[in-house]
Amino acid sequence: MILPIVKYGDPVLQKEGEEVNNIDGNLAEFIQNMFETMYEAKGCGLAGPQVALSKKLFVMDVSSGKETKDRIVCINPQIVETKGAIVSEEGCLSFPGIYFEVERPEIVTVSAIDLDGKEFTFEVDGLAARCVLHETDHINGKVFIEYLNPLKRDLIKRKIKKKIKLGDWE
Ligand SMILES: [Zn+2]
């Protein structure tokens, strides 16, 4: 089932998600829906708050469904370590049509719980690292425009207001 993606302006995106303490069939089904929603929207990551579930979980797949090993569910993720820094263009399914460069660590080690309730740790770089950091921000109530300086952030906010007025933000 395709879920509606929450757009910037909805308070759920700026609220810290709750820890997940019950992994059951309902959650597994919801996560399956999150993958379907993410693939349909052509994104590489989707966090709970983006589909109005204010919980610490996200899904990601930098291969767009081509590689099973890239299909990752992270429940209650923690960034364990980061290395380096790299600037690259970034987008967000909750900010359709908005792209800009963001500096982030280059290599990330993350630990999380999977759908079987087992803890796992993995290290990623490149797009996958960017994705982990971006989605972890979401579950902590942080959106990527917070990385912009106030001037650029205001510009983007004005652009979004215009889009909302035109009915171009749903
Ligand atoms: Zn996002």
Side-chain angles (χ1 to χ4, degrees):
M1 192 178 100
I2 306 293
L3 306 164
I5 296 176
V6 171
K7 304 298 184 301
Y8 175 69
D10 189 313
V12 73
L13 286 178
Q14 285 168 287
K15 187 176 141 196
E16 186 179 349
E18 285 170 22
E19 293 259 324
V20 176
N21 39 37
N22 187 23
I23 301 170
D24 58 10
N26 285 337
L27 188 73
E29 197 184 323
F30 192 84
I31 283 173
Q32 178 57 36
N33 291 338
M34 284 177 72
F35 273 112
E36 278 180 40
T37 304
M38 179 183 77
Y39 290 136
E40 210 231 19
K42 300 197 183 339
C44 61
L46 186 69
Q50 292 183 279
V51 281
L53 182 72
S54 190
K55 298 228 162 155
K56 291 198 194 298
L57 67 94
F58 67 78
V59 300
M60 61 183 274
D61 184 349
V62 292
S63 79
S64 312
K66 288 186 200 93
E67 301 278 351
T68 319
K69 67 167 176 50
D70 287 332
R71 193 178 153 101
I72 300 170
V73 177
C74 286
I75 298 170
N76 299 339
Q78 300 269 355
I79 304 294
V80 180
E81 198 188 353
T82 60
K83 282 180 221 154
I86 188 164
V87 175
S88 188
E89 193 176 67
E90 207 166 302
C92 177
L93 294 178
S94 296
F95 290 77
I98 308 275
Y99 301 90
F100 52 85
E101 290 190 326
V102 180
E103 184 181 309
R104 296 205 187 253
E106 196 174 0
I107 303 167
V108 180
T109 308
V110 53
S111 85
I113 293 168
D114 66 16
L115 266 176
D116 298 317
K118 280 194 207 117
E119 198 178 318
F120 66 108
T121 302
F122 61 103
E123 187 187 277
V124 276
D125 59 13
L127 178 60
R130 184 161 293 272
C131 189
V132 163
L133 293 160
H134 180 113
E135 302 313 326
T136 302
D137 279 348
H138 271 307
I139 62 176
N140 290 319
K142 186 170 181 176
V143 288
F144 77 148
I145 58 167
E146 288 175 47
Y147 289 97
L148 291 169
N149 67 43
L151 199 71
K152 280 192 184 157
R153 192 160 57 224
D154 278 351
L155 270 173
I156 297 259
K157 281 186 177 173
R158 246 180 278 155
K159 199 169 159 183
I160 293 170
K161 266 188 197 148
K162 222 179 260 173
K163 280 174 176 268
I164 292 171
K165 236 185 205 167
L166 293 169
D168 196 18
W169 197 244
E170 284 308 319

